Amino acid sequence: VLLVLSNKVAMTTFKFKYILTLTMLHFITTAAATRAAAAAGLFQPKRTLGYREILLLGGAGTVSIAFMNANLQSNSVGFYQMSKLCLIPFTVVVQLLVYSASFSRKVYASLLLVLAGVGMATVSDVEVNALGTAYAVLAVASTAQFQI
């Protein structure tokens, strides 16, 4: 949550409009922290990916985070958080339709609660615009594919 609020302050208060630069800074920070944690013995990397897999994963992650940052820049924090919550049911739908996955009734019941919460949050957040909504849809779709 602190990262989201910090990004929003940078975008609104300081008029920082360079979404890809912000995305690059996220990746550099994550890579440095991960390497430091591994060097400190906090975890052991399991295996190394091949060059092609690294490029595909890195590209998908970059697209996902870039659209999430554009989503945050174009929308209120409430609408941004709501769109992130929509990621869960969207991922389930993709897994059902594309990968023929199956889920328990408990999963479906919890999804109904999430969707009800998203519906209630939508009512109170009136700062919605076409471009921001488009970024939110692209962010959810690209992030779901990245996570699957």
Side-chain angles (χ1 to χ4, degrees):
V1 174
L2 183 60
L3 180 62
V4 170
L5 294 176
S6 300
N7 286 345
K8 190 63 174 179
V9 167
M11 292 174 194
T12 55
T13 304
F14 300 110
K15 306 296 184 212
F16 189 82
K17 298 182 184 209
Y18 306 103
I19 298 300
L20 292 179
T21 301
L22 191 59
T23 301
M24 179 190 68
L25 291 172
H26 288 177
F27 275 108
I28 289 171
T29 303
T30 300
T34 302
R35 289 186 181 263
L42 297 175
F43 73 92
Q44 292 287 332
K46 292 194 176 185
R47 68 179 181 101
T48 304
L49 297 175
Y51 187 69
R52 182 176 186 273
E53 289 85 6
I54 289 172
L55 285 177
L56 288 172
L57 188 61
T62 300
V63 168
S64 167
I65 293 174
F67 278 130
M68 278 295 181
N69 286 339
N71 177 9
L72 180 60
Q73 183 181 40
S74 301
N75 295 306
S76 65
V77 174
F79 187 82
Y80 168 81
Q81 294 290 33
M82 184 202 62
S83 68
K84 283 179 62 176
L85 283 174
C86 288
L87 178 60
I88 299 165
F90 184 82
T91 301
V92 168
V93 169
V94 169
Q95 288 183 338
L96 285 170
L97 297 177
V98 177
Y99 301 104
S100 301
S102 61
F103 298 95
S104 69
R105 288 180 187 220
K106 289 180 181 180
V107 170
Y108 291 119
S110 64
L111 286 176
L112 286 175
L113 288 174
V114 168
L115 291 173
V118 168
M120 286 187 273
T122 306
V123 171
S124 65
D125 193 345
V126 294
E127 296 180 44
V128 179
N129 60 70
L131 180 62
T133 302
Y135 282 142
V137 169
L138 290 169
V140 168
S142 63
T143 302
Q145 191 56 41
F146 173 63
Q147 291 182 350
I148 293 174

